[in-house]
Amino acid sequence: MKTTTKSTPSDYPSTARIRWFRQQLSTWGIANRRDYLWRKTTDAYHLLVAESLLQKTDADTVAPIYELFLEQYPTIQDLAAANLKDVAKLLKPLGLFFRAERLQQCAQIVLSQYNGIVPDDQKQLLKLPGIGDYTARAIGSQAFNQPLAVLDANVARILERFFGLQGERVKSRCKILWGAADAIAPRKNVGTWNLALLDFGALTCKAQNPDCDRCPLSSKCKWYRDRLGI
């Protein structure tokens, strides 16, 4: 199993600032964690399904479809053998018509190449259809307790605002932001940390109308202090 080495940009904030950020977000996460079925399991197949459905789709929309999906296809063998039209019909409310085909292809590859066991190796996960860095790392941290940070639009926005980082236009391919996500993540319980960041970006540090007045980071947030002219 391959692990990821954390890197720190040369212009990165102090260790004390990172430690404070971690402490505040971890405390917030305990009190505000959202409740979804896929957060109650470490089953790699279930998490592969969840992360595939969550691509470009909000969690509240995915939640009922995820439950129905696992009732219909409780094992990776069931999904691999399913009628693709039936899978596509079930996932139709989520859009992205190609999602059903890619997910079934994943199941078939895992069945034929990995004896039906979702691999814990990041390189192997990345070879599966529709699986990119974020999805592979999310599966690794949640299913296999690997120390892998994640980066999506929510996480990128938090890091850019709080630390004053300037990422590239395509956040998912920005080396600066990936390096920051890795450097900031704690060494233990990274899966829990990732969920706290995702929830914070969805509930508080939103793209539009962020709730800065009740934000536990506002006193040291560069973006917020710049807005106030402090």
Side-chain angles (χ1 to χ4, degrees):
M1 180 181 69
K2 182 179 179 182
T3 57
T4 299
T5 301
K6 294 182 180 180
S7 58
T8 304
S10 59
D11 59 347
Y12 211 69
S14 67
T15 301
R17 184 170 173 79
I18 294 173
R19 188 183 301 116
W20 186 87
F21 177 84
R22 285 178 186 158
Q23 182 179 22
Q24 298 301 314
L25 257 295
S26 296
T27 300
W28 183 94
I30 293 171
N32 296 277
R33 182 171 175 172
R34 293 180 294 174
D35 185 26
Y36 296 113
L37 279 180
W38 56 84
R39 293 186 171 189
K40 300 176 181 179
T41 183
T42 57
D43 185 293
Y45 166 61
H46 291 183
L47 288 164
L48 172 64
V49 170
E51 293 300 335
S52 297
L53 301 190
L54 286 164
Q55 292 174 2
K56 300 184 183 300
T57 311
D58 70 87
D60 288 337
T61 301
V62 166
I65 303 298
Y66 170 79
E67 186 171 2
L68 288 173
F69 191 95
L70 290 183
E71 288 178 1
Q72 187 70 34
Y73 310 110
T75 70
I76 203 162
Q77 289 82 2
D78 293 321
L79 176 57
N83 183 301
L84 179 57
K85 290 183 179 179
D86 291 337
V87 179
K89 183 178 180 180
L90 181 58
L91 299 185
K92 186 176 180 179
L94 302 181
L96 298 178
F97 68 95
F98 53 80
R99 188 178 345 224
E101 183 177 12
R102 287 182 177 178
L103 188 51
Q104 186 178 55
Q105 288 174 346
C106 283
Q108 292 169 343
I109 291 171
V110 170
L111 197 61
S112 63
Q113 297 185 18
Y114 304 107
N115 298 315
I117 300 173
V118 176
D120 63 358
D121 181 84
Q122 295 297 292
K123 287 184 177 180
Q124 293 174 333
L125 283 171
L126 287 168
K127 291 179 181 179
L128 297 176
I131 303 299
D133 286 330
Y134 173 88
T135 304
R137 283 168 166 249
I139 294 170
S141 65
Q142 301 300 325
F144 305 116
N145 197 31
Q146 295 172 353
L148 299 169
V150 297
L151 179 73
D152 71 348
N154 280 332
V155 177
R157 182 169 61 253
I158 296 167
L159 299 182
E160 287 184 317
R161 284 177 174 175
F162 183 81
F163 292 104
L165 299 175
Q166 182 59 56
E168 298 169 8
R169 185 177 65 84
V170 181
K171 310 302 182 184
S172 62
R173 293 199 288 267
C174 179
K175 292 182 179 180
I176 292 175
L177 293 178
W178 271 113
D182 279 335
I184 291 168
R187 295 185 179 275
K188 297 180 179 179
N189 301 318
V190 178
T192 300
W193 167 256
N194 289 339
L195 296 181
L197 277 174
L198 296 174
D199 288 345
F200 189 72
L203 300 176
T204 298
C205 194
K206 297 174 287 188
Q208 303 294 328
N209 302 315
D211 192 4
C212 297
D213 291 340
R214 292 189 291 180
C215 174
L217 303 177
S218 60
S219 65
K220 295 187 179 182
C221 176
K222 187 177 188 308
W223 184 77
Y224 179 67
R225 292 173 67 85
D226 285 349
R227 290 177 66 195
L228 295 180
I230 300 176

